[in-house]
Amino acid sequence: MSRLLGDSHRRFLQTLMAVGITDEQEARALYQHCCDTHKMPCTPDKLDEFIEAINSRLQPMFMQIRKGMSEENGHQYYALVNMAETDITRMTSDYTDNELELFRKTLDLIVSSENGTASSTDILNSTDTMTSKKLKKSETEHLLTRLVQDKWLCERRGEYTLSTRCIIEMEPYIRTMYQDQVKVCHICHNIAFQCQICENPSCGIKIHNPCVARYFKGRVEPRCPACDDFWPHEIPGTSQQGSMNRTASTGITTSPTRRSEVARDSTRVLVGVCSCRK
């Protein structure tokens, strides 16, 4: 594909700049819309090439549209990432020093846990060890709400996890700072936080829940793909997964019968924020 950018590329980029992150279904719908609007040919299986053309022009500005997977539902997402800053310093314009320190402590708790979560109680208790100005309980609760709204964290029943956006944007930082703790999924080879772990002490591989569902689907006796021990965990059922898809990056829950409708509605919202002109 030519590296020359047309109005369809610019419209796609402007929209992604406005929303920050979008799932693959919405990205494909936006790609189609941008091509149709500017009378450009659209090949459904060429989305990644279309995005790569944009990335070739973003490289001198240390920006990139990066693809990543939601640990919760296995869906692919696209996020616009600032490559010039590969760690938490990218957040300094929005958060104070003590707020960033608490976010780091939350990150520590999530990475060191077996299930990739940190409870609100543990996060509140971690304020006692802060070296900067200590946050009050109300301030901590407000900060956690902001981190969820800004799509850095996700929350469910008082348990916090890293959002898809956070994992995509901060993967280099996470791999560097937690290289002795972070493991990758044995199936997809992406960083694994929310996952199942082989109980064989000499194995201990991790597999994302969506990857578990795909890998063991139809197998009568599930066995670890690394050590061949019996896999004792519950295999997520595709019907159960499909009935309640929680979008990790936004916290929105949609049923499968609504996904196509949501995609169309989301595309209308996405293109509405774009002000690209011919």
Side-chain angles (χ1 to χ4, degrees):
M1 174 179 284
S2 172
R3 298 300 181 183
L4 295 176
L5 298 192
D7 287 337
S8 58
H9 296 87
R10 285 186 279 273
R11 178 179 289 270
F12 187 97
L13 176 59
Q14 286 181 340
T15 305
L16 193 56
M17 288 175 65
V19 299
I21 186 170
T22 184
D23 70 26
E24 185 174 24
Q25 186 173 1
E26 291 171 348
R28 290 189 181 281
L30 177 61
Y31 168 47
Q32 178 76 54
H33 173 84
C34 292
C35 291
D36 291 348
T37 300
H38 297 285
K39 306 297 189 293
M40 299 292 295
C42 178
T43 308
D45 62 350
K46 299 293 185 181
L47 173 61
D48 286 343
E49 290 186 25
F50 180 85
I51 290 176
E52 184 56 35
I54 299 174
N55 281 339
S56 67
R57 291 303 185 93
L58 291 178
Q59 186 175 3
M61 296 177 283
F62 302 100
M63 301 288 288
Q64 182 184 48
I65 299 174
R66 186 182 292 172
K67 190 176 183 179
M69 186 192 81
S70 163
E71 289 195 303
E72 187 160 354
N73 56 32
H75 298 161
Q76 296 295 321
Y77 285 78
Y78 292 89
L80 185 62
V81 177
N82 181 353
M83 303 297 291
E85 299 173 318
T86 57
D87 57 22
I88 294 177
T89 56
R90 75 175 74 245
M91 301 168 66
T92 55
S93 60
D94 298 319
Y95 299 93
T96 62
D97 288 343
N98 58 340
E99 290 174 337
L100 289 177
E101 182 182 358
L102 186 62
F103 178 73
R104 290 189 184 95
K105 289 184 177 297
T106 301
L107 193 57
D108 290 343
L109 290 170
I110 292 173
V111 172
S112 61
S113 69
E114 288 191 358
N115 59 358
T117 66
S119 70
S120 56
T121 301
D122 288 340
I123 296 173
L124 286 169
N125 290 338
S126 69
T127 60
D128 294 335
T129 60
M130 291 180 63
T131 57
S132 57
K133 182 181 177 182
K134 182 178 176 180
L135 292 170
K136 299 177 181 177
K137 179 181 178 181
S138 59
E139 293 173 329
T140 301
E141 292 173 341
H142 177 67
L143 172 61
L144 290 173
T145 299
R146 282 182 57 205
L147 289 168
V148 171
Q149 291 174 343
D150 292 344
K151 303 177 185 177
W152 293 111
L153 297 177
C154 291
E155 185 273 341
R156 178 182 288 179
R157 294 188 294 273
E159 296 288 328
Y160 290 85
T161 60
L162 299 183
S163 70
T164 303
R165 172 194 176 180
C166 183
I167 294 175
I168 292 176
E169 292 206 25
M170 292 191 175
E171 181 176 351
Y173 173 83
I174 292 170
R175 286 182 180 270
T176 299
M177 297 301 296
Y178 303 98
Q179 54 185 315
D180 296 330
Q181 297 172 269
V182 168
K183 287 189 177 183
V184 299
C185 173
H186 188 79
I187 303 301
C188 71
H189 307 295
N190 291 314
I191 290 178
F193 295 111
Q194 299 178 68
C195 55
Q196 295 183 5
I197 305 173
C198 177
E199 293 185 353
N200 183 345
S202 62
C203 180
I205 66 164
K206 291 185 173 183
I207 306 180
H208 290 125
N209 290 323
C211 295
V212 166
R214 287 193 297 267
Y215 182 80
F216 291 116
K217 183 180 180 180
R219 296 175 186 259
V220 177
E221 187 179 41
R223 290 191 171 274
C224 175
C227 70
D228 203 40
D229 269 18
F230 177 75
W231 195 262
H233 307 289
E234 180 181 353
I235 308 302
T238 53
S239 59
Q240 181 181 6
Q241 274 192 318
S243 65
M244 191 62 69
N245 291 324
R246 178 177 181 271
T247 303
S249 64
T250 61
I252 298 174
T253 302
T254 58
S255 65
T257 57
R258 288 271 299 155
R259 282 196 60 80
S260 60
E261 183 179 345
V262 169
R264 291 193 298 270
D265 292 344
S266 298
T267 301
R268 285 194 287 268
V269 173
L270 289 172
V271 299
V273 300
C274 179
S275 58
C276 177
R277 297 179 179 177
K278 293 185 179 181

